[in-house]
Amino acid sequence: MGTELNYDVIVIGGGHAGTEAAWAAASIIGARGTGGRVALVTMDPSRIGTMSCNPAIGGLAKGQIAREIDAMGGLMGRAIDATGIMFKMLNTSKGPAVRGPRAQADKEAYRVEIQRLIATSDSIDVLAGTVDELIVRQGEVRGVQLPAGSGVVRPREGHQQDDPAAVPRPVYDTAPRSQDRQEASVRLMAPSVVLTTGTFMRALMHTGEARTPGGRVDEGSADGISGTLQGLGFELGRLKTGTPPRLRRSSIDWDGLEGQCGDEHPVAFSDLSPGHLPGGRFPRLEQVECRMTRTTGSIHDLIRSNLDRAPMFSGQIDAESGPRYCPSIEDKVVRFADRDSHHVFLEPETHHSEEIYCNGISTSLPEDVQARIVQAMPGCEHAQVIRWGYAVEYDMVRPHQIDATCMTKSIRGFFLAGQINGTSGYEEAGGQGVIAGLNAARHALEEDLVRLGRDQAYIGVMLDDLVTKIPREPYRMFTSRAEHRLHLRADNSDERLTPLSRELGLICDARWEGWLGRSGRMQAIAETIESTRLEGNRWLRSHIQDPAVTPSSIADMLGTPDVNLVERVMTSMRYEGYIKRQEAAIRRQRDADARRIPSWLDVAGVRGLRTEAVESLARHRPATLGQAGRLAGVSPADLSLLSVAIKRGREGRD
């Protein structure tokens, strides 16, 4: 007979979506003081927080999402600030709306830091196991079934690691210790379940003709859950992505290649980072340089002559398409046939090994071809491959079956987040995880669910895109996707989201007090700029955060922590006219997004509605008129007919 354990929220998967979901749910439940608990179920607890591909956080648009995750109390910003080995602000030559912070991570330290943060929560239990069966009754999720051998995994003793130079040691063991292991099957019961399978659902890895089950090297595949979801009526799709080979640094002519350096004065991601405090130690780890090499015409010829051996082209992979915006080198050579060279960035993965990530040559080609490609790149003539590149194909759930809250439309209490929704990238997964965890906790507490608007956050843009468009390739966030990007800057994420997050219960006291302090200083700076001529500097001294700093000039002030606040105030003033126009558009969009489409409305019965609109509305089941207007096949005339039908229907029901 099995064991039954009760939780408020169950999160399946320990990747970037899963950890953010568990943390957000635990924050909400902890803030309510109910004594509730969250279960985080993962195949291998020692792999929680693993960076499967590129060991970096942020970038263009992705940096904004990472900042938004932090503004909502998430883990990603804190973890990268503690483990970053090269920080760089991208697009500094352009306007602030399209700048993006990015940081190279020590991937081993990052994984351990995420595990350490999870272990600090008294409300999260980590369980080792796989989930193949969901318990669903009368259209509501009730829990999950774990196989025999599953059990709670406790953090190692002394898991706090104060020496940043020490070799990172996983906080969680690979499997439960004998005294914690459940020998019988385990049933976990909860009113909310969050599924974050990453690339592991029925996953298959390809290197040339060789195929290996699994969603990541040395890890398995979650096969049973796909059948379970199909049995529950979900429409699945299949996507593919890839990763490049890793090289041994000592075998590369490192000093002979062009260097890529980080910023002299790096900007932290998290509002809780020491980088935002006077005298705080940031960055914490020793910083590194990357190197740049390139492909050549002869490499491109080699790839073309072996396309029949590349699963991306040979038909060996049973998936619709790969990532258009992070393509394999095979894709690049075919799609950009006129180019005879592509940049390849050689990025150190950790201080604790010689692994170098080859950013720019993701590939599914056979090992012998990969070896020839690598050694034909300048500076890599004698390079040794530590790990071969590979492609992975995996199942996803077509995201028109979820709402922008991340809850599925057909099963109450069942939430999806991350690559299972067809997205690509740590940041996109983490952003969905925050929303899914927040709403899973609110559902368990019988509170209204929360949606972020397109005017509030890139996370809101992403979720709206997912539920109104069906991705045929892994979805990646870009600044061009956000119509209000001047309003959605990386530097004002706390202004947009921290007050709301405090109201919801996501924000701790330290973060809230920090925001109140920054908000007050920004207001004082703005008032001073508006009312004072810059002939003297006494006003500067009165608004500097660090009392030990006494600047005699504006140049002196640039070295203080408040310089970023001054930049934010100046940006808001400089673009005030544009921002006001965007705010007018935002108000119109909010009005449409506030107009709910009632569940009783039969779109097929709306007179005059075009067949294309009826089909699109029936498939996506939008929650609001705003979402309906963003669906392909729905015109403004169709929206007018819907609006009239809703009004008449309500009058009739009244």
Side-chain angles (χ1 to χ4, degrees):
M1 196 167 163
T3 299
E4 185 169 295
L5 303 174
N6 292 307
Y7 288 91
D8 291 84
V9 177
I10 299 166
V11 178
I12 303 166
H16 303 278
T19 51
E20 296 291 356
W23 185 261
S27 298
I28 296 294
I29 290 170
R32 301 299 189 273
T34 61
R37 301 198 64 76
V38 175
L40 175 58
V41 184
T42 181
M43 288 190 286
D44 184 351
S46 72
R47 302 284 289 177
I48 288 173
T50 293
M51 293 180 135
S52 306
C53 193
N54 191 355
I57 294 294
L60 303 180
K62 291 172 171 284
Q64 279 88 330
I65 294 180
R67 284 280 296 126
E68 290 171 357
I69 292 170
D70 185 74
M72 298 187 75
L75 301 175
M76 185 171 284
R78 294 171 64 184
I80 189 58
D81 283 350
T83 63
I85 54 179
M86 192 180 90
F87 292 82
K88 192 173 185 64
M89 184 67 70
L90 305 183
N91 263 4
T92 53
S93 63
K94 299 183 180 180
V98 294
R99 293 174 190 166
R102 182 185 187 273
Q104 196 74 18
D106 183 315
K107 69 173 186 179
E108 300 298 337
Y110 185 93
R111 173 168 59 99
V112 171
E113 180 64 11
I114 289 289
Q115 292 179 29
R116 186 191 70 79
L117 290 168
I118 290 291
T120 63
S121 174
D122 295 330
S123 301
I124 299 176
D125 284 344
V126 173
L127 293 92
T130 58
V131 174
D132 290 340
E133 182 181 346
L134 296 172
I135 302 169
V136 178
R137 297 171 185 158
Q138 298 178 333
E140 295 189 10
V141 73
R142 300 295 177 85
V144 302
Q145 185 78 36
L146 304 184
S150 305
V152 176
V153 180
R154 304 297 178 193
R156 295 174 186 264
E157 294 295 328
H159 66 269
Q160 299 287 347
Q161 200 160 320
D162 296 324
D163 181 6
V167 176
R169 186 169 180 239
V171 173
Y172 293 100
D173 291 317
T174 299
R177 294 190 295 273
S178 58
Q179 62 265 35
D180 295 323
R181 187 186 299 274
Q182 302 287 345
E183 296 305 332
S185 63
V186 181
R187 176 173 286 194
L188 307 182
M189 305 301 292
S192 294
V193 174
V194 183
L195 184 61
T196 69
T197 55
T199 61
F200 285 86
M201 270 207 316
R202 211 164 56 88
L204 192 60
M205 295 179 290
H206 300 257
T207 300
E209 296 83 358
R211 308 182 193 188
T212 307
R216 195 161 53 207
V217 168
D218 298 328
E219 296 189 57
S221 172
D223 293 338
I225 193 66
S226 291
T228 296
L229 292 173
Q230 287 180 315
L232 291 169
F234 287 98
E235 179 186 348
L236 304 188
R238 196 147 176 90
L239 295 177
K240 59 187 175 184
T241 188
T243 192
R246 273 64 161 182
L247 310 182
R248 190 179 305 281
R249 174 172 170 157
S250 60
S251 65
I252 301 170
D253 180 15
W254 194 258
D255 293 332
L257 294 172
E258 179 182 346
Q260 300 285 310
C261 303
D263 293 338
E264 184 177 356
H265 301 290
V267 176
F269 277 82
S270 176
D271 292 331
L272 292 182
S273 169
H276 289 296
L277 302 174
R281 181 182 175 187
F282 178 80
R284 186 168 181 257
L285 299 184
E286 179 185 352
Q287 299 297 282
V288 303
E289 291 184 3
C290 297
R291 289 292 185 267
M292 186 168 69
T293 183
R294 58 185 174 82
T295 60
T296 64
S298 62
I299 291 176
H300 294 189
D301 290 339
L302 173 64
I303 292 170
R304 291 188 191 97
S305 65
N306 284 278
L307 286 175
D308 61 319
R309 302 178 66 197
M312 290 283 191
F313 285 86
S314 66
Q316 179 175 311
I317 293 181
D318 178 25
E320 294 168 17
S321 63
R324 183 195 308 178
Y325 303 107
C326 186
S328 67
I329 188 61
E330 299 97 288
D331 283 318
K332 290 181 183 179
V333 168
V334 172
R335 285 169 48 195
F336 307 106
D338 57 325
R339 294 189 56 176
D340 59 6
S341 180
H342 294 282
H343 290 310
V344 179
F345 297 93
L346 303 178
E347 302 171 339
E349 291 203 321
T350 173
H351 282 306
H352 306 287
S353 82
E354 285 202 274
E355 280 189 77
I356 299 296
Y357 181 90
C358 295
N359 192 342
I361 55 168
S362 293
T363 183
S364 62
L365 284 161
E367 295 177 5
D368 63 297
V369 180
Q370 289 189 42
R372 293 165 65 189
I373 291 172
V374 165
Q375 295 186 347
M377 296 190 303
C380 299
E381 293 83 357
H382 305 289
Q384 300 170 6
V385 177
I386 294 177
R387 184 173 13 135
W388 302 105
Y390 61 90
V392 58
E393 57 173 308
Y394 56 95
D395 286 345
M396 50 87 77
V397 176
R398 299 201 185 281
H400 67 277
Q401 299 165 101
I402 65 168
D403 182 57
T405 61
C406 289
M407 188 165 77
T408 60
K409 296 173 181 176
S410 59
I411 300 177
R412 286 181 52 77
F414 184 40
F415 298 79
L416 306 179
Q419 287 177 286
I420 191 172
N421 288 332
T423 59
S424 172
Y426 308 146
E427 302 82 4
E428 289 89 343
Q432 293 171 70
V434 171
I435 300 302
L438 160 67
N439 283 318
R442 291 180 68 86
H443 177 78
L445 296 167
E446 299 183 347
E447 298 175 358
D448 291 339
L449 304 190
V450 175
R451 297 173 180 83
L452 292 183
R454 296 180 71 92
D455 60 296
Q456 288 179 284
Y458 272 87
I459 296 173
V461 173
M462 169 179 61
L463 283 167
D464 186 74
D465 282 350
L466 290 175
V467 302
T468 58
K469 303 174 177 66
I470 301 177
R472 298 295 178 184
E473 60 199 20
Y475 177 96
R476 182 178 178 182
M477 178 52 69
F478 294 99
T479 55
S480 59
R481 296 190 190 273
E483 61 270 39
H484 306 303
R485 56 186 171 273
L486 188 55
H487 179 63
L488 305 180
R489 306 190 308 273
D491 67 358
N492 70 354
S493 299
D494 53 355
E495 293 179 65
R496 294 184 277 113
L497 296 172
T498 295
L500 170 64
S501 300
R502 178 66 172 186
E503 181 183 334
L504 295 172
L506 286 168
I507 299 299
C508 65
D509 290 342
R511 190 183 292 275
W512 181 240
E513 290 165 6
W515 157 244
L516 291 177
R518 287 193 305 280
S519 178
R521 293 197 301 278
M522 283 193 296
Q523 183 176 352
I525 291 169
E527 291 173 353
T528 303
I529 290 174
E530 290 175 346
S531 63
T532 307
R533 292 175 60 84
L534 303 182
E535 294 169 347
N537 286 319
R538 283 183 294 178
W539 72 275
L540 291 176
R541 295 191 184 92
S542 66
H543 297 118
I544 296 300
Q545 184 181 6
D546 189 348
V549 175
T550 55
S552 59
S553 67
I554 293 179
D556 290 341
M557 184 186 175
L558 296 179
T560 72
D562 273 343
V563 65
N564 291 329
L565 301 188
V566 176
E567 280 191 36
R568 284 170 63 172
V569 172
M570 295 297 290
T571 295
S572 296
M573 290 181 168
R574 184 179 301 121
Y575 295 100
E576 183 177 8
Y578 297 101
I579 290 174
K580 284 184 176 178
R581 285 199 289 274
Q582 279 202 355
E583 286 173 346
I586 287 169
R587 285 192 294 272
R588 291 192 296 272
Q589 182 174 292
R590 280 180 179 168
D591 289 343
D593 282 332
R595 300 180 66 184
R596 305 281 297 172
I597 298 176
S599 58
W600 47 257
L601 181 68
D602 177 16
V603 294
V606 176
R607 182 176 298 177
L609 209 58
R610 296 173 306 118
T611 302
E612 183 182 8
V614 171
E615 291 175 352
S616 185
L617 290 165
R619 185 174 197 188
H620 290 272
R621 294 165 58 191
T624 68
L625 285 176
Q627 284 186 358
R630 292 186 287 274
L631 292 177
V634 178
S635 70
D638 296 322
L639 289 180
S640 297
L641 292 171
L642 276 179
S643 182
V644 170
I646 292 169
K647 182 179 179 181
R648 288 178 176 171
R650 282 183 177 141
E651 290 172 351
R653 293 169 75 87
D654 290 341

